[in-house]
Every structure is written in C-alpha cells, then in structure tokens.
C-alpha cells in the first residue's frame, strides 16, 4: 500500500509569498523555505514585515486569487490520483490554500492555520504538528503505508529522506548539490515516470 506525499508551493503552484512580494512591491518577502531552513523564524519575520507595512490577510488573498497552478500541474495531479492515493503536505495555511485547492480539483491537503484579528491583521500562526511533513509521513507509515515524497525546499528534505522513495522537484541548484543522492527532476513527465516505477 503506497501513498504519494507532495509539497504544494514550487511543486504544484507558484510560491505565494514571491507572488505577494511582487504584487506588494516588498522585495524582502521573496524569501522562502528555499532560502531559510527554519520555518518558524521565517514566518515570524514575515509577520513583522506585514505589520510594518500594515498589510493583512485580505491583501494576500487578493494576490492568491490571481495565482494559477503551474502549467501541467493539475493534469499531473489528476493522473497521479488515478494511480494511487495522494496527499499534499504543506507548511502553508488553510486561508491561503483553499482557492488553490479549488483550481487543482480539491485534492487532500494537510496544512496549518493563521490567527487573524477582526481587522484582518495576521497576528500569529498555528502549526498542525511539530515537523509537520516528517511527522505526517511517519504517521502514514505507522498505519501501513509506504510513502513516496516529492518537494523542492529545505522543509521537504526530512519527508523525502524518510520515504521509501523521494524526489526533489524544481529545487534549487544549492539543494541539489548538497543532496546529490536524491533524484532531481524539473518536468512533470519525468517525475511521473519516476513515481510510476515506484508504484509498479
């Protein structure tokens, strides 16, 4: 019994914070988990930048409404879901992910939640569980699944390494160089072929 675990941003959809950085004209918000391995540190820094610029959930959701899945992502996901169970494991938040899940055909996603004040200020965030990607993969393994995982960033490495098969997808050159033992792909067809070999 196998289940495939995929990251969301950078794998199936563009990076939300990069899109918002461009829309808001705040270049420092381009920093993502590709640059900063410590997610808690990254998010607290982001909330500080939002507060400084008096920006909240509404402005970010307006940007998200303009984001479409990466070319070929929905077709890849549809085909993969016809072959095996798939779960998206993301460090994003329900308030960000829901419109994107609609565009991807409502796949299953495990993610986190934001705490939002009545005026729309994002005051805090609640992680579903510590080390959520690795914890989720291990939980799936504990109930009898062999996991296949793919992601692009530092926060995906633990779930990729803990899985029966794991792949980097559209990752950075630095991560690919630092982890040469992990097969790396940049094209959905190549990733699908690799996953199909594991499912066979």
């Amino acid at each position: 019994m196998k289940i495939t675990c995929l990251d969301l941003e950078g794998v199936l959809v563009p990076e939300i914070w990069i899109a918002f950085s461009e829309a808001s004209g705040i270049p420092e918000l381009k920093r993502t988990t590709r640059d900063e391995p410590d997610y808690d540190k990254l998010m607290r820094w982001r909330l500080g930048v939002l507060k400084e610029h008096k920006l909240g959930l509404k402005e970010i959701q307006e940007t998200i409404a303009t984001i479409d899945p990466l070319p070929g992502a929905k077709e890849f996901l549809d085909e993969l879901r016809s072959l095996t169970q798939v779960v998206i494991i993301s460090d994003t938040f329900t308030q960000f992910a829901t419109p994107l899940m609609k565009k991807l055909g409502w796949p299953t996603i495990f993610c986190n939640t934001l705490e939002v004040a009545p005026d729309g200020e994002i005051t805090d965030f609640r992680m579903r569980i510590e080390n959520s990607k690795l914890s989720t993969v291990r939980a799936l393994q504990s109930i009898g699944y062999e996991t296949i995982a793919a992601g692009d960033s530092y926060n995906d490495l633990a779930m990729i390494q803990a899985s029966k098969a794991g792949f980097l997808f559209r990752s950075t050159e630095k991560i690919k160089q630092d982890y040469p033992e992990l097969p790396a792909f940049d094209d959905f067809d190549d990733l699908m072929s690799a996953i199909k070999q594991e499912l066979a």
Side-chain angles (χ1 to χ4, degrees):
M1 304 248 306
K2 296 184 173 78
I3 189 166
T4 301
C5 303
L6 300 174
D7 178 37
L8 177 64
E9 293 178 65
V11 173
L12 298 171
V13 303
E15 292 278 355
I16 291 167
W17 287 98
I18 290 177
F20 185 62
S21 166
E22 291 167 355
S24 64
I26 304 172
E28 58 263 40
L29 284 176
K30 279 194 168 77
R31 190 166 177 79
T32 71
T33 49
R34 289 170 164 228
D35 313 298
E36 173 55 68
D38 185 331
Y39 189 74
D40 186 77
K41 178 179 171 185
L42 177 64
M43 269 308 298
R44 298 212 175 278
W45 176 80
R46 284 168 170 167
L47 294 189
V49 173
L50 292 177
K51 190 175 181 68
E52 179 190 338
H53 291 271
K54 297 183 169 52
L55 295 169
L57 180 60
K58 174 176 168 286
E59 289 81 9
I60 299 174
Q61 286 180 327
E62 285 170 355
T63 295
I64 292 169
T66 70
I67 295 174
D68 287 320
L70 292 169
K74 185 175 187 302
E75 294 77 10
F76 165 80
L77 198 53
D78 287 346
E79 182 180 354
L80 188 58
R81 290 166 75 194
S82 76
L83 302 171
T84 183
Q85 294 296 310
V86 179
V87 61
I88 297 169
I89 307 175
S90 174
D91 279 338
T92 194
F93 305 95
T94 305
Q95 295 94 330
F96 291 179
T98 300
L100 298 168
M101 293 306 98
K102 182 177 182 181
K103 291 180 179 181
L104 286 169
W106 298 112
T108 299
I109 184 169
F110 296 161
C111 60
N112 306 299
T113 191
L114 294 167
E115 293 184 3
V116 184
D119 66 356
E121 180 189 349
I122 301 170
T123 56
D124 205 352
F125 58 96
R126 287 205 312 274
M127 303 301 281
R128 186 171 47 82
I129 191 172
E130 194 174 344
N131 298 319
S132 63
K133 297 189 180 193
L134 176 60
S135 299
T136 302
V137 159
R138 288 204 170 130
L140 290 167
Q141 290 166 348
S142 78
I143 56 171
Y145 284 101
E146 288 183 332
T147 57
I148 299 167
D152 69 324
S153 296
Y154 283 107
N155 63 336
D156 299 312
L157 291 169
M159 79 166 178
I160 291 170
Q161 292 167 326
S163 291
K164 178 179 180 289
F167 309 105
L168 293 171
F169 187 67
R170 298 188 175 183
S171 191
T172 65
E173 289 307 313
K174 173 151 181 38
I175 293 175
K176 287 192 269 193
Q177 286 169 8
D178 288 349
Y179 298 87
E181 73 280 6
L182 296 177
F185 304 107
D186 292 302
D187 181 272
F188 282 118
D189 288 343
D190 294 337
L191 180 60
M192 180 64 78
S193 296
I195 292 174
K196 281 180 175 176
Q197 283 187 334
E198 295 301 326
L199 293 173

